[in-house]
Amino acid sequence: MNVVLIDLHPHSDPVTPISLANLAAVLRRQGHATDLLSLSSGRPFSPAALRNHLHEKQPRLVGFTAYQRNFFQVRAIARMAKQASPGCRVIIGGPQATFMPEHALTDLPELDFVCRGEGELVIRAVAEAIDGGSIDDAVPGTSTRVSDGSWLRGDPVAPADDLDAYPSPWLDGVLDPADWDEAIMLTSRGCPHHCAFCVTPAAFGPTTRAHSVERVLEDISVVSRRGRGRLWFADPNFSYDAERVHAILEGIAHRGLAVEMWIETRADMLDSDLLRLLARAGVHTLALGLESAVPRVLERSGKAIEPEAIRAAAVTALAAGLDVELFSQYGLPGETREDALQTLRFVQDCGVAVRGNSNAQQMQLYFGSAIIGRPEAHGIRPLRDDLPPYLALGDEFETEWMSRRDMDEVRAAWSAASADGGKRIVS
Amino acid sequence: MERGLGRRRQEDRVVTLSRAPVEWLFLDADAPVGPLSSWLADALEHCAWSCHVVVAGSDGEGRLLGTVVDHLEREEVALVYFHLVADGSFGPAPEVADLMDAAARFQDQAYRERTGARLVPLPILEVAPGADPGPALGTAGELAARLAKPSLLLRDAPDEAMIAAAAALGLRLYLGSNTRDSSLLEILTAAHVLDSTMARLDCAGRLLDPCRAHNVIAGGRVFDCGRQWRRGRSRGGLADDRAPVWQPDASLCAGCIADTVAGTGPSMVANQRKREGRELALRTSSALVDTGAHLAAAEAAVTAVELSQTPEERADALIQTALCRLAAGQLEGADRALLEARVNGAPANLVAYHRAHVQVAWRDDIEALDRFSEALDLGPDSLSAEDLHFEMAMSHIRLEEWADARTHLEQAGRPTATIAFNLGVCDVNDGRAERALVHFDRALELGPAEEDLGRIRFFRGFCLKELGRFEEAVEDLRRSIELEEPELAHHNSLGFCLFKLGRHAEATACFERAVAADPGSAIDWANIGVNLERLGEDERAAEMYRRALGMDGRIEFAREGLERVGE
């Protein structure tokens, strides 16, 4: 069966399509001819070329990673795919899909499957179902449009405890490191913390599951030797297991791999020994989730960490020669305008440059976060009640503590302090 | 371990569709609009999903806009930035109002779907020479409030009040001359080249790459890029080429970018982008130096000087200008720029150092030595005293002042192959072959650059010859001939050693190569004669002696030889 998976970033440069590449690796091992398209403003495409490609391939399944920001284009290309390859089915996965309300699906006639579980397992089941002909039952791990046109919710799928059970797109050659300026690596999934604004625990589970050290080092070896050796770790807490991270970093040094790495972790998962080891192994930037510099705000958001611990980690990391990025946001529950400005001053006081990911953004409310489940309980006041049900509130809100004008003023303050115009890289 | 990669096939790679679909279309709407809008309807399908349509002129009856709207309705994935030049002298022009009306539908859609609008209006309000820009500013403010991104095209140089007013509204100012013929297409394509280059400012090594993919359509013909349009080299007519492609002639790009950057000073000032403009000019200058385009690099550096905001910045840019001019052989200009850099606070020692190099280029090593000494006396600071001593040594070598050269080389820091070699050269020329040989051996030990090996071998062979170690000398001289383009001296020295070793046939061949390299070398004609005589070829030897003496009657051994073999 021909499958086309599309990674779409209409308004930004291309990034390694790691999630879809994971799925492509599974499908190829199943014997499905799978194309992985990377479409972005940095790798532009013409409508004619895309249509021709879909027409030539005649895929029976087309898949997308859906985000709030690309959802309009995802739908447009899904419709194009169905015209170019009549009978093909469309699946969406990713943050916008996993927790999309069931009732929203009736407004999305171009979709056939919504991935609700671990993609590697779901895509295999979906491909088998399509191969099997008429689909009368929901596919596990999905919402499925069955043969009578109605939507059914499939049983949940239990994700693999051992991530090494999934093939590696780097080792299987789905991704060629030479094609990417920076290779995105995802070596662990899930998070045991309960930040009210975050969807990670709900999407990937409340415990951290990880690839083995050996598998991670094999991936890094390929990327280092064939590519530019620049690695961007998408793990939410790269150093969650001190023993594991030491083994990875020492393995990099032992194998003599020349790499430059960006990692994200929590301040309470670092110590000065580890920071030195990170620097020695080639980590150039350490990103920490600050969110707010006000303990009261952090507590209300369910983020159990002290700002002063973050300051200490940032200062130590800077002294160790690492660049530091502090992720922060405003419009959090319980946060006033003054609180938000205090966060800006905190970042500056830490000696962290306000640029790149250290530019703050307004809290974005996506499906799956604790806040969007009960916005009023968190003091959220939606500014719109006319959004289509398949779109989450995003930043279209004010709070009991900050009006829209307050938000605009805080945004302007951050923008004025920014060294690069205030554009954050990771949303 | 790279399992799997060995069996990787090309079709497994991540697909990117086409490498570079056209992203910008510059349309000269003064051509007949019917065929143009028909062409545009087909062309947009093949352009990037997110593309810019720039209408340089009047969109008669809005047909081009209508074509774009039809495209957007057909292709839901598409997004068009519509740039339209309109007369801004008398308030909102009707075609701008039409554009805003068309955009409003897409803005509603964007609001509903929380996405970007798929028709982005970018009206360019042109202010005629001598006209009051006030109405255009007012219109621009109103348009910005309606989510357009207006800009102004001024035919008069803007004053400071105008610049401030535009900045307050976030307007871009395009500048067009009112004294020379600067067409809309010229202005807008130049701005495109500038923006594309500016976007690559941080991409080391890519600054002079082709800009974002564009085509120019003018006079019913399609041009690959603005440069080709200015050269009048079209790819074909509208009927021939309905699917635009991007096939830039990359060999033209550096020149195009250089010209654009060199002329960008006033625009950067008007748009309050002096800092970025200066950065761009300096980096462009450096990139051009890397390509060997030193004159163009100097022009870019001059732009950096114009955009400098502090004496320190100005001094840095002037030094860059001077170095480019020096490399381009514009020595007076280089020296002038250095003196001006000094006035702007450039370190005196640095200026003296660079001025010394200008003198070197002028072949005035005596003056150069004064400047190097001045730099040394002023305290090296950012300069290396060791480098200065080395440069001074080189000047002394060119002046054949071997002892002075040696003194400076000994202060030129940790011995390198180059220093050791030059010490050897000094000793050879002072007649100290034995000491020189030690230096040449040291140079070889220190790992010289590949391209220097031949020179070192030659001088080593020469020393050995002087010391009478002819067998070894032959080996080095032969090696030097393999490693570098041989000159007269190579053949002469090798021939001499072979003669001394009694290998007269080989020596003869050597001297024949010497006279082939320089037929006026009387001594080598005589050398051939000597060797032929030793080989018993008296007749030919006599001929060679005669030829040598015909050129230089003072060659005693030739006269004696001729007496022996012929007369």
Side-chain angles (χ1 to χ4, degrees):
Chain A
M1 173 167 84
N2 286 346
V3 180
V4 173
L5 301 178
I6 302 178
D7 192 55
L8 181 63
H9 297 273
H11 303 291
S12 58
D13 283 337
V15 295
T16 322
I18 188 69
S19 299
L20 287 180
N22 282 330
L23 307 194
V26 168
L27 288 168
R28 286 183 187 171
R29 285 202 178 183
Q30 272 194 298
H32 300 296
T34 306
D35 266 1
L36 179 50
L37 301 191
S38 170
L39 308 177
S40 66
S41 62
R43 289 182 178 179
F45 60 95
S46 72
L50 181 54
R51 186 174 289 108
N52 288 344
H53 187 81
L54 291 166
H55 184 75
E56 277 172 24
K57 294 289 172 183
Q58 287 295 301
R60 291 175 64 199
L61 177 63
V62 174
F64 298 89
T65 301
Y67 302 91
Q68 185 104 340
R69 61 178 174 272
N70 74 356
F71 199 57
F72 183 85
Q73 287 83 5
V74 162
R75 293 184 64 200
I77 296 176
R79 288 191 285 272
M80 181 192 281
K82 291 198 161 195
Q83 282 176 354
S85 178
C88 95
R89 288 187 166 85
V90 172
I91 181 169
I92 61 166
Q96 188 68 8
T98 308
F99 302 104
M100 185 178 283
E102 211 72 35
H103 69 270
L105 305 182
T106 51
D107 286 2
L108 302 170
E110 55 281 312
L111 302 187
D112 300 287
F113 300 96
V114 176
C115 177
R116 307 292 197 175
E118 192 121 294
E120 288 89 341
L121 303 174
V122 169
I123 201 74
R124 185 182 303 165
V126 166
E128 283 168 5
I130 292 172
D131 262 347
S134 173
I135 298 175
D136 300 318
D137 296 316
V139 175
T142 72
S143 291
T144 306
R145 184 194 299 282
V146 291
S147 49
D148 67 0
S150 63
W151 284 92
L152 294 179
R153 182 80 177 234
D155 294 335
V157 289
D161 287 332
D162 175 11
L163 290 186
D164 287 359
Y166 303 141
S168 159
W170 298 112
L171 301 179
D172 275 15
V174 173
L175 292 172
D176 184 347
D179 290 340
W180 305 96
D181 284 339
E182 189 168 57
I184 294 183
M185 317 292 286
L186 182 61
T187 77
S188 62
R189 303 178 191 181
C191 180
H193 303 283
H194 303 285
C195 304
F197 46 80
C198 183
V199 301
T200 297
F204 296 102
T207 57
T208 304
R209 294 172 293 133
H211 285 292
S212 66
V213 170
E214 185 58 24
R215 162 74 175 265
V216 173
L217 289 173
E218 284 185 18
D219 278 352
I220 293 174
S221 296
V222 169
V223 172
S224 163
R225 288 180 186 139
R226 282 191 59 85
R228 294 166 184 79
R230 298 182 61 219
L231 309 176
W232 199 97
F233 285 87
D235 304 42
N237 303 305
F238 183 71
S239 61
Y240 80 97
D241 176 342
E243 194 178 328
R244 176 178 181 270
V245 75
H246 272 88
I248 291 173
L249 297 173
E250 282 162 3
I252 289 171
H254 182 68
R255 294 185 184 208
L257 303 175
V259 288
E260 299 169 33
M261 295 179 281
W262 183 101
I263 65 160
E264 180 184 2
T265 194
R266 281 173 63 100
D268 52 6
M269 294 173 171
L270 291 168
D271 57 40
S272 50
D273 283 349
L274 180 56
L275 284 168
R276 275 194 295 275
L277 183 57
L278 289 169
R280 207 165 55 241
V283 172
H284 59 81
T285 302
L286 175 72
L288 300 169
L290 167 65
E291 318 310 343
S292 168
V294 178
R296 167 177 46 80
V297 175
L298 289 177
E299 190 180 342
R300 189 155 187 160
S301 298
K303 176 135 186 161
I305 198 162
E306 286 295 323
E308 287 311 312
I310 295 172
R311 184 199 301 275
V315 169
T316 311
L318 287 167
L322 297 173
D323 198 1
V324 172
E325 292 183 335
L326 295 178
F327 283 106
S328 63
Q329 46 188 329
Y330 47 86
L332 289 159
E335 185 181 53
T336 64
R337 179 179 173 283
E338 184 47 39
D339 292 336
L341 295 174
Q342 188 178 325
T343 302
L344 170 57
R345 290 192 294 273
F346 180 92
V347 171
Q348 292 171 318
D349 288 349
C350 286
V352 171
V354 180
R355 60 178 156 77
N357 290 315
S358 295
N359 291 303
Q361 66 177 20
Q362 186 183 333
M363 177 174 67
Q364 303 284 318
L365 294 177
Y366 297 128
F367 297 134
S369 69
I371 293 180
I372 210 164
R374 294 174 59 229
E376 65 292 343
H378 292 274
I380 302 297
R381 294 175 176 156
L383 291 170
R384 290 180 61 177
D385 58 8
D386 59 348
L387 283 170
Y390 47 81
L391 294 179
L393 196 54
D395 60 3
E396 300 270 10
F397 67 89
E398 53 187 15
T399 69
E400 283 180 27
W401 308 273
M402 282 178 75
S403 66
R404 188 80 210 184
R405 172 177 284 194
D406 290 332
M407 304 269 194
D408 289 343
E409 286 175 4
V410 170
R411 180 180 300 112
W414 275 93
S415 181
S418 175
D420 63 0
K423 186 163 168 53
R424 184 148 138 183
I425 300 160
V426 178
S427 172
Chain B
M1 181 171 149
E2 296 189 4
R3 72 179 180 216
L5 289 174
R7 63 166 191 274
R8 228 171 134 273
R9 294 167 303 146
Q10 182 63 27
E11 58 267 34
D12 286 340
R13 294 172 79 107
V14 173
V15 180
T16 52
L17 299 179
S18 46
R19 286 313 277 177
V22 170
E23 297 175 75
W24 287 70
L25 292 174
F26 291 89
L27 310 178
D28 180 359
D30 290 338
V33 77
L36 187 56
S37 64
S38 159
W39 179 86
L40 181 63
D42 288 344
L44 283 169
E45 292 289 309
H46 299 276
C47 287
W49 73 278
S50 165
C51 74
H52 292 251
V53 174
V54 184
V55 181
S58 166
D59 178 12
E61 300 170 7
R63 288 182 66 176
L64 298 175
L65 175 61
T67 302
V68 166
V69 169
D70 287 348
H71 168 70
L72 291 172
E73 283 176 349
R74 212 168 38 248
E75 291 293 356
E76 291 180 286
V77 72
L79 159 62
V80 174
Y81 296 87
F82 197 87
H83 307 245
L84 175 70
V85 182
D87 187 350
S89 306
F90 308 102
E95 59 265 42
V96 173
D98 290 345
L99 174 58
M100 295 307 295
D101 286 347
R105 287 161 49 198
F106 294 98
Q107 288 169 348
D108 286 347
Q109 181 187 55
Y111 178 77
R112 261 196 329 272
E113 299 287 337
R114 297 198 80 245
T115 185
R118 296 196 299 119
L119 175 60
V120 180
L122 293 110
I124 302 169
L125 307 176
E126 185 174 10
V127 181
D132 172 17
L137 275 171
T139 305
E142 290 165 20
L143 292 171
R146 294 178 62 193
L147 303 178
K149 292 182 179 172
S151 46
L152 262 52
L153 194 161
L154 305 177
R155 293 289 179 173
D156 295 326
D159 59 19
E160 285 189 15
M162 177 68 206
I163 291 172
L169 289 169
L171 303 180
R172 177 179 188 155
L173 295 181
Y174 293 96
L175 302 186
S177 164
N178 60 1
T179 54
R180 70 181 175 88
D181 177 28
S182 58
S183 73
L184 290 175
L185 267 184
E186 243 183 284
I187 296 164
L188 297 172
T189 53
H192 175 67
V193 173
L194 187 68
D195 291 349
S196 292
T197 312
M198 191 72 97
R200 290 194 299 262
L201 207 48
D202 292 328
C203 304
R206 290 184 42 214
L207 203 63
L208 303 180
D209 282 1
C211 48
R212 299 244 18 169
H214 67 286
N215 279 179
V216 173
I217 294 82
R221 304 198 69 77
V222 181
F223 299 85
D224 267 324
C225 65
R227 184 73 159 191
Q228 294 290 39
W229 165 68
R230 283 191 291 277
R231 289 156 55 105
R233 305 260 173 95
S234 87
R235 215 175 47 225
L238 293 179
D240 314 321
D241 209 343
R242 300 187 79 82
V245 291
W246 175 232
Q247 291 175 325
D249 180 349
S251 67
L252 300 175
C253 294
C256 181
I257 291 168
D259 290 349
T260 305
V261 170
T264 196
S267 170
M268 288 293 164
V269 172
N271 285 286
Q272 299 195 329
R273 299 184 72 190
K274 283 186 177 181
R275 189 179 58 79
E276 299 106 302
R278 178 180 177 278
E279 187 73 20
L280 175 70
L282 277 180
R283 292 201 192 184
T284 303
S285 175
S286 298
L288 288 165
V289 166
D290 291 343
T291 68
H294 298 292
L295 271 180
E299 293 305 309
V302 167
T303 301
V305 174
E306 288 167 17
L307 294 171
S308 295
Q309 297 181 76
T310 65
E312 193 182 10
E313 285 184 357
R314 201 173 157 77
D316 284 350
L318 281 161
I319 298 257
Q320 171 76 4
T321 307
L323 296 181
C324 295
R325 293 213 185 288
L326 171 60
Q330 292 185 335
L331 304 183
E332 284 181 22
D335 205 45
R336 250 196 328 272
L338 287 167
L339 290 171
E340 202 183 334
R342 178 73 196 106
V343 171
N344 280 274
N349 60 342
L350 189 69
V351 170
Y353 175 77
H354 290 312
R355 291 191 73 206
H357 280 115
V358 174
Q359 298 301 329
V360 168
W362 256 319
R363 298 177 190 277
D364 187 345
D365 278 295
I366 294 172
E367 192 70 24
L369 279 166
D370 285 348
R371 299 269 172 257
F372 283 130
S373 294
E374 184 187 345
L376 199 57
D377 292 346
L378 286 163
D381 292 337
S382 57
L383 297 172
S384 149
E386 292 167 348
D387 284 351
L388 279 167
H389 281 296
F390 180 80
E391 299 287 0
M392 293 173 81
M394 292 298 103
S395 279
H396 282 299
I397 285 174
R398 284 188 291 273
L399 291 167
E400 301 187 356
E401 295 169 350
W402 313 113
D404 290 332
R406 194 181 297 112
T407 304
H408 284 292
L409 283 170
E410 284 164 355
Q411 297 175 76
R414 199 163 50 85
T416 61
T418 308
I419 290 173
F421 168 75
N422 283 294
L423 280 166
V425 169
C426 292
D427 282 337
V428 164
N429 283 288
D430 262 353
R432 303 176 186 187
E434 201 149 352
R435 271 180 55 174
L437 190 60
V438 174
H439 288 304
F440 293 131
D441 284 342
R442 181 86 176 113
L444 289 173
E445 281 167 25
L446 288 166
E450 195 73 24
E451 63 269 24
D452 294 336
L453 268 175
R455 207 85 284 261
I456 299 172
R457 286 286 176 194
F458 169 75
F459 273 98
R460 189 174 187 278
F462 185 85
C463 288
L464 291 164
K465 182 196 84 168
E466 295 296 299
L467 294 168
R469 292 159 62 179
F470 299 117
E471 287 281 4
E472 296 164 79
V474 165
E475 194 179 318
D476 272 298
L477 291 167
R478 287 231 153 106
R479 187 89 184 93
S480 78
I481 287 170
E482 287 167 15
L483 290 165
E484 65 179 356
E485 188 64 33
E487 297 169 357
L488 179 68
H490 290 82
H491 302 305
N492 177 281
S493 297
L494 181 58
F496 181 84
C497 294
L498 292 166
F499 168 76
K500 286 290 188 184
L501 291 166
R503 291 152 66 176
H504 299 297
E506 291 170 78
T508 302
C510 263
F511 289 122
E512 282 171 351
R513 281 193 287 275
V515 295
D518 180 6
S521 177
I523 193 78
D524 287 307
W525 288 111
N527 285 330
I528 297 173
V530 171
N531 282 284
L532 288 173
E533 184 186 348
R534 299 290 171 91
L535 289 167
E537 296 189 37
D538 288 357
E539 198 171 325
R540 280 184 64 207
E543 185 191 336
M544 295 300 133
Y545 287 141
R546 274 195 289 275
R547 183 177 284 204
L549 290 167
M551 292 177 183
D552 183 353
R554 293 167 300 174
I555 304 175
E556 197 57 35
F557 74 88
R559 188 177 305 283
E560 292 166 7
L562 189 57
E563 284 170 8
R564 280 194 305 276
V565 298
E567 298 172 4

